[in-house]
């Protein structure tokens, strides 16, 4: 179960297993759990490889971070390593409690249950991290103003020089053309077909993300391209550092579900580079938003 599939009041059976692992661990290391339980959902929430999406980013150490939608805390501990203080807001109470338990030895973390836009804060933040949950902020609507409004409201919680950092999957990512099931519908080609059926979240093309940013009055932004995506990041490219023809050698792909797969995406990586469409078809975007 990923973000967007969450029932905020009742944990699923797999989530109950994850809660058990966290509540019965005396450390933040779940390597033995991952050896014995190979389910994708367990890996998704407990694997240390999840932190790669923010390991490379140069946070100011004397900073305060607001993490929106912490899940079970996949990247929370790494955020705590990087800055002075981390405030995590998670809608599901059982998940918030799990994050607090998982990082119970940390002194620079505050975990809150609730809707991030309905809470009152006693401070503003240097960074707001929205990892993989922007797509659910509009409850599946195709009206981009809903997602833009979410970002605009979050920006009010920033310090003057603050930044919003968000990740989102690309509706036109190469993995979806290869047959990988779309994130929110669990159906192949749903996003490419512009969501003909109702879902509780959406992915967006690069152009659509830029439309959201424009609607949110965000004029300063940078796109980064984590590969193979923002979940199991192995390398991060930017518009100033695009991949060369050796990209196939640098990235190991993965597929939790293979039944709908038509081809393996790294077969066409070089074609994306040679035809200068890599940024259009990268699987995920990491976007840094500045306001001053």
């Amino acid at each position: 179960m990923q973000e967007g599939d969450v029932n905020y009041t009742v944990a699923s059976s797999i989530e109950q297993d994850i809660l058990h692992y966290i509540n019965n661990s005396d450390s933040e290391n779940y390597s033995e759990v991952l050896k014995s339980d190979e389910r994708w959902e367990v890996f998704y929430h407990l694997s240390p490889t999840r932190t790669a999406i923010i390991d490379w980013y140069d946070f100011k150490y004397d900073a305060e971070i607001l993490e929106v939608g912490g899940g079970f805390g996949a990247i929370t501990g790494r955020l705590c390593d990087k800055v002075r203080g981390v405030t995590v807001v998670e809608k599901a109470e059982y998940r918030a409690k799990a994050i607090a338990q998982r990082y119970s030895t940390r002194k620079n973390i505050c975990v809150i249950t609730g809707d991030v836009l309905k809470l009152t804060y006693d401070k503003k933040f240097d960074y707001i991290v929205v990892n993989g949950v922007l797509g659910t902020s509009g409850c599946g609507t195709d009206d981009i103003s809903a997602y833009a409004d979410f970002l605009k409201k979050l920006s009010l919680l920033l310090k003057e020089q603050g930044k919003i950092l968000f990740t989102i999957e690309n509706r036109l990512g190469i993995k979806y053309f290869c047959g990988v099931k779309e994130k929110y519908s669990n159906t192949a080609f749903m996003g490419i077909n512009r969501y003909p059926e109702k879902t509780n979240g959406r992915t967006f093309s690069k152009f659509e993300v830029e439309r959201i940013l424009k609607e949110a009055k965000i004029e300063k932004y940078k796109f980064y391209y984590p590969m193979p995506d923002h979940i199991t990041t192995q390398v991060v490219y930017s518009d100033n550092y695009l991949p060369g023809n050796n990209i196939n050698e640098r990235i190991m792909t993965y597929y939790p579900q293979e039944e709908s797969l038509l081809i393996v995406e790294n077969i066409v990586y070089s074609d994306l580079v040679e035809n200068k469409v890599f940024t259009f078809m990268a699987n995920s975007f990491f976007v840094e938003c500045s306001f001053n």
Side-chain angles (χ1 to χ4, degrees):
M1 178 173 288
Q2 300 184 14
E3 307 300 331
D5 300 322
V6 181
N7 180 324
Y8 292 114
T9 57
V10 180
S12 69
S13 60
I14 293 178
E15 288 184 314
Q16 289 174 15
D17 291 340
I18 295 168
L19 285 168
H20 173 78
Y21 293 140
I22 292 174
N23 290 332
N24 288 276
S25 174
D26 56 4
S27 76
E28 297 176 12
N29 188 325
Y30 298 92
S31 58
E32 292 305 312
V33 168
L34 295 170
K35 288 179 183 178
S36 61
D37 191 333
E38 297 181 348
R39 287 177 294 178
W40 165 247
E41 293 85 353
V42 176
F43 174 90
Y44 179 86
H45 289 295
L46 300 182
S47 172
T49 63
R50 291 290 310 285
T51 67
I53 188 59
I54 47 94
D55 282 340
W56 62 278
Y57 189 81
D58 187 21
F59 291 93
K60 298 182 299 182
Y61 182 75
D62 188 28
E64 293 283 345
I65 288 178
L66 173 63
E67 183 186 7
V68 180
F72 282 106
I75 70 168
T76 306
R78 191 70 182 108
L79 293 175
C80 290
D81 291 338
K82 284 178 164 284
V83 299
R84 180 178 63 188
V86 176
T87 299
V88 187
V89 177
E90 168 56 50
K91 282 187 178 181
E93 183 178 8
Y94 63 87
R95 286 185 165 208
K97 289 181 177 179
I99 296 171
Q101 173 62 34
R102 185 171 180 173
Y103 300 109
S104 59
T105 62
R106 303 279 186 153
K107 305 300 183 183
N108 63 336
I109 184 173
C110 173
V111 184
I112 304 172
T113 302
D115 184 326
V116 66
L117 298 181
K118 295 180 179 179
L119 297 171
T120 301
Y121 305 88
D122 59 3
K123 58 187 171 185
K124 291 196 173 184
F125 301 91
D126 299 281
Y127 304 96
I128 298 178
V129 176
V130 189
N131 187 32
V133 298
L134 177 62
T136 60
S137 64
C139 301
T141 179
D142 61 358
D143 182 359
I144 65 165
S145 64
Y147 308 92
D149 188 58
F150 180 71
L151 292 177
K152 280 194 288 188
K153 290 177 178 177
L154 283 182
S155 71
L156 299 176
L157 303 177
L158 285 172
K159 294 180 182 178
E160 185 176 352
Q161 301 297 322
K163 296 179 180 180
I164 294 177
L165 311 174
F166 71 85
T167 63
I168 193 162
E169 289 183 288
N170 182 4
R171 182 173 65 81
L172 301 178
I174 184 59
K175 69 179 181 181
Y176 290 133
F177 281 94
C178 292
V180 171
K181 293 181 178 180
E182 191 273 339
K183 176 178 181 179
Y184 297 108
S185 64
N186 200 34
T187 302
F189 307 111
M190 178 71 84
I192 293 173
N193 284 320
R194 294 183 175 272
Y195 295 95
E197 299 177 11
K198 174 68 175 176
T199 58
N200 63 354
R202 295 179 79 89
T203 57
F204 296 98
S205 69
K206 185 178 180 182
F207 176 73
E208 289 165 338
V209 173
E210 289 178 323
R211 286 181 58 207
I212 291 170
L213 294 170
K214 183 177 180 179
E215 180 83 12
K217 308 299 183 185
I218 299 172
E219 298 180 355
K220 297 179 181 179
Y221 56 85
K222 294 180 182 178
F223 272 82
Y224 297 89
Y225 311 96
M227 290 293 288
D229 57 24
H230 71 288
I231 298 172
T232 63
T233 302
Q234 296 157 31
V235 61
V236 179
Y237 296 102
S238 71
D239 290 312
N240 294 326
Y241 177 68
L242 292 171
N245 288 331
N246 66 339
I247 183 174
N248 294 9
E249 302 169 7
R250 303 192 65 181
I251 298 169
M252 182 179 297
T253 56
Y254 71 99
Y255 300 102
Q257 303 177 68
E258 297 187 354
E259 63 270 19
S260 61
L261 197 66
L262 302 177
I263 60 173
V264 178
E265 67 191 73
N266 60 4
I267 292 175
V268 294
Y269 281 168
S270 294
D271 291 320
L272 302 184
V273 173
E274 290 174 1
N275 289 279
K276 303 186 187 310
V277 293
F278 170 78
T279 62
F280 171 74
M281 300 189 74
N283 288 321
S284 295
F285 305 122
F286 179 110
V287 185
E288 177 193 66
C289 305
S290 303
F291 296 83
N292 290 293

